[in-house]
Amino acid sequence: AEAAPALRPGVAFPVGENGRVSTTVVAKKIWSAAVRGVDVQLANAIDAERDWRYQYPGHLCKLADLGAKSPANAVKIAEDGLNTLRGEFVFVKDGAAAPLIEAMST
């Protein structure tokens, strides 16, 4: 985790409850949610991965393989991942952060 950065305008990773930004926590949430509707076991493996920094390529290769198996899988993975991303990331404007999904609806 990194120290919380100054709020810069635009799309950003959220600051966690501990006041720090954890790209790992957010990335795992997004990738897990993206694949859960196609492969629950892979989603659970992503959630349980304790060495994400070095092990994520294997998980993402499996996810890509699932997406390549059918257009329906690809669309489901993309939609679910993007929906989760919109709920996790924030949009910073005038020094204030709001959930990206809220910012996109205004």
Side-chain angles (χ1 to χ4, degrees):
E2 302 169 8
L7 293 176
R8 294 188 179 147
V11 177
F13 279 89
V15 175
E17 293 176 9
N18 62 0
R20 299 169 72 81
V21 173
S22 174
T23 58
T24 296
V25 169
V26 175
K28 285 176 65 175
K29 280 184 187 177
I30 293 168
W31 290 117
S32 172
V35 76
R36 188 165 303 282
V38 175
D39 187 329
V40 173
Q41 283 186 311
L42 180 55
N44 291 341
I46 290 170
D47 290 338
E49 181 58 63
R50 298 181 57 73
D51 192 19
W52 183 252
R53 179 181 297 249
Y54 298 103
Q55 301 303 320
Y56 77 88
H59 296 293
L60 298 189
C61 284
K62 291 174 187 172
L63 183 144
D65 287 344
L66 288 168
K69 285 187 178 182
S70 75
N73 280 2
V75 169
K76 178 75 173 149
I77 290 167
E79 286 178 342
D80 290 352
L82 286 170
N83 286 336
T84 302
L85 180 143
R86 289 181 190 110
E88 292 295 325
F89 274 64
V90 296
F91 185 77
V92 180
K93 183 177 179 183
D94 299 327
L100 182 59
I101 194 150
E102 289 178 18
M104 291 175 63
S105 66
T106 58

